Amino acid sequence: LGPSTHHTVYEAEIVATLLGVELLRRETHCTQQVSIALDNMAAIQASELRTTGPARYLTDLFHAAVRNLKIDRPNLRLTLRWVPGHADVPGNEAADEAAKAAAAGDSSPVQQLPRPLR
């Protein structure tokens, strides 16, 4: 996203959720039921709303990504769930380390990101 002086944690959470949907789209061995764990209730609530608000363009991108995923996998059941502090979520520590690395400038090549985030 860039420096924290230009973006909020809220925006980062929504982008992370959007990237999670992108990873699901690329996954070839996906189960029929998947959940994305978030520790930001505002981001989860924003994913359910269709009204104006902060970072609305990101929630619009999220809805479009989910629609496209459902076209490819109509039987997929995607759930966003709130987990305070991501407690007991497998892989959470690795995700935290990756987020810290990205915040320090070590992120994916631009061409690997979903088109709307390039």
Side-chain angles (χ1 to χ4, degrees):
L1 283 180
S4 60
T5 55
H6 293 106
H7 300 282
T8 65
V9 170
Y10 173 75
E11 288 173 307
E13 289 280 350
I14 295 172
V15 167
T17 305
L18 179 59
L19 291 172
V21 172
E22 176 65 14
L23 288 173
L24 288 171
R25 188 187 67 75
R26 294 178 185 187
E27 181 60 46
T28 58
H29 297 88
C30 191
T31 64
Q32 290 193 354
Q33 185 169 337
V34 177
S35 66
I36 297 175
L38 296 163
D39 66 353
N40 187 308
M41 184 59 79
I44 293 172
Q45 290 170 335
S47 74
E48 298 170 347
L49 301 175
R50 306 253 183 204
T51 60
T52 60
R56 170 62 192 267
Y57 70 102
L58 293 172
T59 57
D60 287 346
L61 290 174
F62 169 77
H63 289 286
V66 170
R67 276 192 307 273
N68 290 335
L69 179 63
K70 294 292 281 181
I71 289 169
D72 293 341
R73 299 194 176 127
N75 296 325
L76 180 70
R77 183 173 172 212
L78 175 63
T79 304
L80 299 182
R81 64 185 175 104
W82 181 59
V83 180
H86 294 286
D88 300 322
V89 174
N92 180 56
E93 291 79 22
D96 283 345
E97 290 302 317
K100 288 175 187 171
D106 181 21
S107 60
S108 301
V110 173
Q111 60 273 26
Q112 289 184 356
L113 295 173
R115 287 192 190 281
L117 296 178
R118 292 181 187 173

